[in-house]
Amino acid sequence: MFVFKFGGASVKSAEAVKNIVEILQRYDSEEIVVVVSAMGKTTNALEKIIECYAGENRECFRQKFEALKLSHMEVVGGLFPDQDHKVYSDVENLFDELDARLTKDPTLNYDYDYDQLICFGELLSTTIISHFLNVSNVPTRWMDIRKSLKTDNRWREARVDWELSSQLVNEHFKFNGERILITQGFLGATINDQSTSLGREGSDYTAAILAYMLKTESVTIWKDVPGVLNADPKYFDDTILLEKLSYLDAIELAYFGTSVIHPKTIKPLQNKNINLHVKSFVNPDAPGTLVGNLTYNKLTPSFIFKMDQVLLRISPLDFSFINENNLEEIFGILNQYGMRINLMQNSAISFKMIVNNDRRRLRLVVDALEEKYKVVYQTGLELVTIRYFDQSTIDRVMINKELIMEQRGVQNIELVIKDIG
Ligand code: ASP
Ligand code: MG
């Protein structure tokens, strides 16, 4: 048994859906659990709808709702010439349900409302693809992941109840003559059946969870890139495909921000020694990247760029030294406002950290810190992590840059840099 995961880009149009079906037809002797994200930029569009809804701006969310419906109906139209096919009423029903939810007043809990609405993206995409697989003679069953993947009620960042979910997943994900069981990434539900979500870009994680619980042979994430590259092609012309990655290397790269694999994905797979393939849906014959229990001699340097970073330098108002109590207080404030630290360093009289330039959070954090500390901050920085660095890789990154801060480990170096000029 395999798990395949298809992201938003691989299901963004009728053509893209046809391509998925072709890929699945290649594996005609396999049983496959297929995990799918919302189509294209649907989750972003739903987030905008939710914002308008929470602000009770009816006109704004109505208009966006109609646009979302239109784009889905276009895909359905491109796949099903038979206007009487059941997919039309199924999709219509989902939009009616979404509509009904939007007609109710928002509750006072934004994150709860978010989860009750955001789930429609994946419910729609899987419904459409499931029907299309069946008309393409690939026997498929649609599964509502919310009946199997149970979580707590930490809305938008729900944590999985592993024991209960494992039991339910193994009960429900049984092949009865179908070749494909298709389900939603990113979603879960509480034991009271209220929808939850696992955090943005969480579908990879869903694929890993299901693979872990079902003890499958492997997971394949199908992407619009050839595999995991050693740098983002946005920043480097000559990137190298990493054909093999150990679990540890994959975790490190994902943790520091390689966008190809979601950071939570690797751990469950490593625990059960399940291989992960990252392959191109444009070029399915190419081998892509294999992540597993692997060793290799050649350590290709990888570069991870985080743009628009901010350096905060925090020091006690009375010029005293930074101590454990200060650190506890500082971390408490960061935790309270959900601010993630990308890099930190402390010296006798100050604590320095690099964070994303999330203006709303930054304002709240700085205001809270300033009650007790002097806070100086610098914007417009880049954070570059190089795994398996050497001097030549550092030189490459430092061209026309000024070094603001650096942290060196055995395998990784992190450079906080700024454009010169
Ligand atoms: N559709 C969700 C998102 O865009 C989950 C995913 O794509 O993995 O965040
Ligand atoms: Mg997505």
Side-chain angles (χ1 to χ4, degrees), residues 14 72 118 145 157-158 171 189-190 223 250 271 277 314 321 324 334 346 394 410:
H72 278 80
I118 208 75
I145 193 72
E157 286 289 343
E171 226 168 84
T190 63
K223 305 279 302 183
N271 285 2
H277 299 272
I314 303 158
F321 293 143
E324 291 70 20
L334 292 169
N346 78 329
I394 296 173
V410 180

PDB file of all heavy atoms in Angstrom, residues 14 72 118 145 157-158 171 189-190 223 250 271 277 314 321 324 334 346 394 410:
ATOM      1  N   ALA A  14      -8.714  21.580 -14.752  1.00  0.00           N
ATOM      2  CA  ALA A  14      -9.179  20.305 -15.305  1.00  0.00           C
ATOM      3  C   ALA A  14      -7.988  19.526 -15.885  1.00  0.00           C
ATOM      4  O   ALA A  14      -7.855  18.319 -15.685  1.00  0.00           O
ATOM      5  CB  ALA A  14     -10.232  20.560 -16.379  1.00  0.00           C
ATOM      6  N   HIS A  72     -14.439  26.709  -9.365  1.00  0.00           N
ATOM      7  CA  HIS A  72     -14.631  25.262  -9.202  1.00  0.00           C
ATOM      8  C   HIS A  72     -15.552  24.708 -10.292  1.00  0.00           C
ATOM      9  O   HIS A  72     -15.301  23.625 -10.821  1.00  0.00           O
ATOM     10  CB  HIS A  72     -15.179  24.938  -7.802  1.00  0.00           C
ATOM     11  CG  HIS A  72     -14.104  24.887  -6.755  1.00  0.00           C
ATOM     12  ND1 HIS A  72     -13.582  26.021  -6.180  1.00  0.00           N
ATOM     13  CD2 HIS A  72     -13.428  23.844  -6.202  1.00  0.00           C
ATOM     14  CE1 HIS A  72     -12.629  25.675  -5.314  1.00  0.00           C
ATOM     15  NE2 HIS A  72     -12.513  24.361  -5.314  1.00  0.00           N
ATOM     16  N   ILE A 118     -12.742  26.709   6.455  1.00  0.00           N
ATOM     17  CA  ILE A 118     -11.564  26.432   5.622  1.00  0.00           C
ATOM     18  C   ILE A 118     -11.622  25.022   5.031  1.00  0.00           C
ATOM     19  O   ILE A 118     -11.064  24.736   3.982  1.00  0.00           O
ATOM     20  CB  ILE A 118     -10.252  26.640   6.440  1.00  0.00           C
ATOM     21  CG1 ILE A 118      -9.096  27.031   5.524  1.00  0.00           C
ATOM     22  CG2 ILE A 118      -9.868  25.426   7.283  1.00  0.00           C
ATOM     23  CD1 ILE A 118      -9.107  28.419   5.027  1.00  0.00           C
ATOM     24  N   ILE A 145     -11.967  12.491   5.960  1.00  0.00           N
ATOM     25  CA  ILE A 145     -10.873  12.291   6.929  1.00  0.00           C
ATOM     26  C   ILE A 145     -11.320  12.642   8.346  1.00  0.00           C
ATOM     27  O   ILE A 145     -10.794  12.131   9.335  1.00  0.00           O
ATOM     28  CB  ILE A 145      -9.625  13.131   6.527  1.00  0.00           C
ATOM     29  CG1 ILE A 145      -8.369  12.723   7.316  1.00  0.00           C
ATOM     30  CG2 ILE A 145      -9.859  14.619   6.751  1.00  0.00           C
ATOM     31  CD1 ILE A 145      -7.771  11.422   6.949  1.00  0.00           C
ATOM     32  N   GLU A 157      -4.441  24.837  14.560  1.00  0.00           N
ATOM     33  CA  GLU A 157      -3.145  24.203  14.830  1.00  0.00           C
ATOM     34  C   GLU A 157      -3.440  22.921  15.604  1.00  0.00           C
ATOM     35  O   GLU A 157      -2.769  22.622  16.588  1.00  0.00           O
ATOM     36  CB  GLU A 157      -2.276  25.100  15.713  1.00  0.00           C
ATOM     37  CG  GLU A 157      -1.672  26.314  15.047  1.00  0.00           C
ATOM     38  CD  GLU A 157      -0.563  25.986  14.073  1.00  0.00           C
ATOM     39  OE1 GLU A 157      -0.022  24.862  14.122  1.00  0.00           O
ATOM     40  OE2 GLU A 157      -0.238  26.861  13.247  1.00  0.00           O
ATOM     41  N   ALA A 158      -4.456  22.210  15.197  1.00  0.00           N
ATOM     42  CA  ALA A 158      -4.949  21.092  16.008  1.00  0.00           C
ATOM     43  C   ALA A 158      -3.892  20.003  16.159  1.00  0.00           C
ATOM     44  O   ALA A 158      -3.096  19.756  15.247  1.00  0.00           O
ATOM     45  CB  ALA A 158      -6.204  20.523  15.365  1.00  0.00           C
ATOM     46  N   GLU A 171      -9.684   1.106  10.977  1.00  0.00           N
ATOM     47  CA  GLU A 171     -11.043   0.584  10.796  1.00  0.00           C
ATOM     48  C   GLU A 171     -11.623   1.025   9.452  1.00  0.00           C
ATOM     49  O   GLU A 171     -12.246   0.258   8.739  1.00  0.00           O
ATOM     50  CB  GLU A 171     -11.907   1.185  11.905  1.00  0.00           C
ATOM     51  CG  GLU A 171     -12.821   0.239  12.641  1.00  0.00           C
ATOM     52  CD  GLU A 171     -13.354   0.959  13.876  1.00  0.00           C
ATOM     53  OE1 GLU A 171     -14.348   1.702  13.726  1.00  0.00           O
ATOM     54  OE2 GLU A 171     -12.735   0.820  14.962  1.00  0.00           O
ATOM     55  N   ALA A 189     -10.929  16.514  12.895  1.00  0.00           N
ATOM     56  CA  ALA A 189     -12.132  16.916  13.626  1.00  0.00           C
ATOM     57  C   ALA A 189     -11.981  16.527  15.084  1.00  0.00           C
ATOM     58  O   ALA A 189     -11.227  15.606  15.420  1.00  0.00           O
ATOM     59  CB  ALA A 189     -13.375  16.265  13.029  1.00  0.00           C
ATOM     60  N   THR A 190     -12.712  17.242  15.927  1.00  0.00           N
ATOM     61  CA  THR A 190     -12.729  16.883  17.351  1.00  0.00           C
ATOM     62  C   THR A 190     -13.617  15.641  17.526  1.00  0.00           C
ATOM     63  O   THR A 190     -14.294  15.229  16.576  1.00  0.00           O
ATOM     64  CB  THR A 190     -13.345  18.019  18.187  1.00  0.00           C
ATOM     65  OG1 THR A 190     -14.711  18.178  17.764  1.00  0.00           O
ATOM     66  CG2 THR A 190     -12.590  19.316  17.995  1.00  0.00           C
ATOM     67  N   LYS A 223       4.953  16.994  -6.744  1.00  0.00           N
ATOM     68  CA  LYS A 223       5.141  18.445  -6.720  1.00  0.00           C
ATOM     69  C   LYS A 223       5.351  19.007  -8.127  1.00  0.00           C
ATOM     70  O   LYS A 223       5.578  18.241  -9.069  1.00  0.00           O
ATOM     71  CB  LYS A 223       6.415  18.800  -5.934  1.00  0.00           C
ATOM     72  CG  LYS A 223       6.501  18.273  -4.537  1.00  0.00           C
ATOM     73  CD  LYS A 223       5.756  19.096  -3.536  1.00  0.00           C
ATOM     74  CE  LYS A 223       6.194  20.530  -3.458  1.00  0.00           C
ATOM     75  NZ  LYS A 223       5.459  21.252  -2.395  1.00  0.00           N
ATOM     76  N   ALA A 250      16.690  15.643   5.942  1.00  0.00           N
ATOM     77  CA  ALA A 250      15.376  16.151   5.519  1.00  0.00           C
ATOM     78  C   ALA A 250      14.734  16.973   6.635  1.00  0.00           C
ATOM     79  O   ALA A 250      14.166  18.038   6.387  1.00  0.00           O
ATOM     80  CB  ALA A 250      14.464  14.997   5.115  1.00  0.00           C
ATOM     81  N   ASN A 271      10.009   7.213  12.256  1.00  0.00           N
ATOM     82  CA  ASN A 271       9.698   6.271  13.340  1.00  0.00           C
ATOM     83  C   ASN A 271       9.323   4.888  12.823  1.00  0.00           C
ATOM     84  O   ASN A 271       9.561   3.897  13.490  1.00  0.00           O
ATOM     85  CB  ASN A 271       8.561   6.802  14.215  1.00  0.00           C
ATOM     86  CG  ASN A 271       9.041   7.924  15.119  1.00  0.00           C
ATOM     87  OD1 ASN A 271      10.212   8.310  15.059  1.00  0.00           O
ATOM     88  ND2 ASN A 271       8.170   8.452  15.937  1.00  0.00           N
ATOM     89  N   HIS A 277       9.150   9.705  -1.083  1.00  0.00           N
ATOM     90  CA  HIS A 277       9.609  10.152  -2.400  1.00  0.00           C
ATOM     91  C   HIS A 277       9.020  11.523  -2.669  1.00  0.00           C
ATOM     92  O   HIS A 277       7.848  11.761  -2.372  1.00  0.00           O
ATOM     93  CB  HIS A 277       9.097   9.217  -3.498  1.00  0.00           C
ATOM     94  CG  HIS A 277       9.573   7.810  -3.349  1.00  0.00           C
ATOM     95  ND1 HIS A 277      10.755   7.359  -3.876  1.00  0.00           N
ATOM     96  CD2 HIS A 277       9.020   6.755  -2.705  1.00  0.00           C
ATOM     97  CE1 HIS A 277      10.918   6.085  -3.577  1.00  0.00           C
ATOM     98  NE2 HIS A 277       9.879   5.684  -2.862  1.00  0.00           N
ATOM     99  N   ILE A 314      17.443  42.943  22.836  1.00  0.00           N
ATOM    100  CA  ILE A 314      16.675  43.220  24.054  1.00  0.00           C
ATOM    101  C   ILE A 314      17.643  43.311  25.231  1.00  0.00           C
ATOM    102  O   ILE A 314      18.424  42.377  25.461  1.00  0.00           O
ATOM    103  CB  ILE A 314      15.678  42.071  24.308  1.00  0.00           C
ATOM    104  CG1 ILE A 314      14.764  41.900  23.079  1.00  0.00           C
ATOM    105  CG2 ILE A 314      14.854  42.301  25.569  1.00  0.00           C
ATOM    106  CD1 ILE A 314      14.137  40.534  22.980  1.00  0.00           C
ATOM    107  N   PHE A 321      22.820  42.306  33.919  1.00  0.00           N
ATOM    108  CA  PHE A 321      23.072  41.208  32.988  1.00  0.00           C
ATOM    109  C   PHE A 321      21.777  40.473  32.675  1.00  0.00           C
ATOM    110  O   PHE A 321      20.857  40.454  33.483  1.00  0.00           O
ATOM    111  CB  PHE A 321      24.067  40.218  33.600  1.00  0.00           C
ATOM    112  CG  PHE A 321      25.436  40.787  33.778  1.00  0.00           C
ATOM    113  CD1 PHE A 321      26.197  40.452  34.885  1.00  0.00           C
ATOM    114  CD2 PHE A 321      25.977  41.660  32.836  1.00  0.00           C
ATOM    115  CE1 PHE A 321      27.459  40.975  35.055  1.00  0.00           C
ATOM    116  CE2 PHE A 321      27.255  42.184  32.994  1.00  0.00           C
ATOM    117  CZ  PHE A 321      27.996  41.845  34.116  1.00  0.00           C
ATOM    118  N   GLU A 324      18.402  34.076  33.712  1.00  0.00           N
ATOM    119  CA  GLU A 324      17.369  33.088  33.395  1.00  0.00           C
ATOM    120  C   GLU A 324      15.960  33.659  33.568  1.00  0.00           C
ATOM    121  O   GLU A 324      15.056  33.338  32.805  1.00  0.00           O
ATOM    122  CB  GLU A 324      17.505  31.833  34.272  1.00  0.00           C
ATOM    123  CG  GLU A 324      18.719  30.981  33.988  1.00  0.00           C
ATOM    124  CD  GLU A 324      20.036  31.632  34.419  1.00  0.00           C
ATOM    125  OE1 GLU A 324      20.005  32.562  35.267  1.00  0.00           O
ATOM    126  OE2 GLU A 324      21.088  31.224  33.899  1.00  0.00           O
ATOM    127  N   LEU A 334       6.899  35.941  23.886  1.00  0.00           N
ATOM    128  CA  LEU A 334       6.896  35.430  22.508  1.00  0.00           C
ATOM    129  C   LEU A 334       5.848  34.345  22.348  1.00  0.00           C
ATOM    130  O   LEU A 334       5.100  34.307  21.367  1.00  0.00           O
ATOM    131  CB  LEU A 334       8.271  34.855  22.159  1.00  0.00           C
ATOM    132  CG  LEU A 334       9.392  35.885  22.071  1.00  0.00           C
ATOM    133  CD1 LEU A 334      10.735  35.198  22.000  1.00  0.00           C
ATOM    134  CD2 LEU A 334       9.194  36.775  20.855  1.00  0.00           C
ATOM    135  N   ASN A 346      22.701  35.036  22.924  1.00  0.00           N
ATOM    136  CA  ASN A 346      22.734  36.003  24.026  1.00  0.00           C
ATOM    137  C   ASN A 346      24.138  36.344  24.443  1.00  0.00           C
ATOM    138  O   ASN A 346      25.080  35.571  24.269  1.00  0.00           O
ATOM    139  CB  ASN A 346      21.833  35.570  25.191  1.00  0.00           C
ATOM    140  CG  ASN A 346      22.457  34.513  26.045  1.00  0.00           C
ATOM    141  OD1 ASN A 346      23.218  33.714  25.548  1.00  0.00           O
ATOM    142  ND2 ASN A 346      22.136  34.508  27.328  1.00  0.00           N
ATOM    143  N   ILE A 394      30.044  30.138   1.866  1.00  0.00           N
ATOM    144  CA  ILE A 394      29.816  31.387   2.615  1.00  0.00           C
ATOM    145  C   ILE A 394      30.116  32.581   1.704  1.00  0.00           C
ATOM    146  O   ILE A 394      29.322  33.519   1.608  1.00  0.00           O
ATOM    147  CB  ILE A 394      30.698  31.437   3.881  1.00  0.00           C
ATOM    148  CG1 ILE A 394      30.293  30.315   4.839  1.00  0.00           C
ATOM    149  CG2 ILE A 394      30.581  32.802   4.568  1.00  0.00           C
ATOM    150  CD1 ILE A 394      31.198  30.168   6.051  1.00  0.00           C
ATOM    151  N   VAL A 410      28.445  22.538  13.681  1.00  0.00           N
ATOM    152  CA  VAL A 410      29.336  21.633  12.964  1.00  0.00           C
ATOM    153  C   VAL A 410      28.873  21.479  11.510  1.00  0.00           C
ATOM    154  O   VAL A 410      29.667  21.553  10.577  1.00  0.00           O
ATOM    155  CB  VAL A 410      29.386  20.256  13.667  1.00  0.00           C
ATOM    156  CG1 VAL A 410      30.318  19.317  12.929  1.00  0.00           C
ATOM    157  CG2 VAL A 410      29.838  20.425  15.114  1.00  0.00           C
TER     158      VAL A 410
END
